[in-house]
Amino acid sequence: DYYSIDDFRSKEPIEVSERFIRLVRNKSEEWLELAATIIMIKKRYASIDRGKLVELVKTAKPRATTENLICIINHLARYDMLT
């Protein structure tokens, strides 16, 4: 029954690393969306080069600028999120 869905507060809290918090702290929703898209594409196509990665993200997210995507890619790389 739709109305008998478990109370979300009864779920066990998740543990989040300080490293992850530093990565996402003060990031906009747009940044998080683009970062998630970059990670998803990189995970699927592990050997993709940065130029092609930017091109694919811009195809999916046409409002994204090349400069912004490169900045996000560099930031993710510093946190080893693209390996």
Side-chain angles (χ1 to χ4, degrees):
D1 181 62
Y2 178 80
Y3 294 99
S4 65
I5 295 174
D6 289 342
D7 183 3
F8 289 107
R9 291 173 286 172
S10 66
K11 304 297 182 199
E12 188 161 324
I14 60 168
E15 301 261 340
V16 179
S17 72
E18 183 62 35
R19 182 173 170 257
F20 178 78
I21 292 171
R22 283 193 310 269
L23 172 65
V24 300
R25 181 179 287 143
N26 299 321
K27 301 299 189 289
S28 68
E29 289 177 17
E30 178 185 11
W31 192 99
L32 295 170
E33 180 180 352
L34 292 174
T37 302
I38 289 165
I39 291 168
M40 180 187 69
I41 291 172
K42 184 65 175 166
K43 188 173 228 174
R44 181 165 181 145
Y45 305 103
S47 62
I48 193 169
D49 65 57
R50 286 183 181 213
K52 187 66 174 172
L53 179 57
V54 168
E55 185 180 318
L56 283 176
V57 175
K58 286 182 74 171
T59 299
K61 311 289 182 185
R63 294 183 300 151
T65 65
T66 299
E67 297 80 16
N68 194 22
L69 292 173
I70 291 171
C71 182
I72 293 170
I73 290 168
N74 290 338
H75 191 80
L76 292 171
R78 282 194 301 274
Y79 281 83
D80 296 321
M81 299 298 291
L82 299 177
T83 56

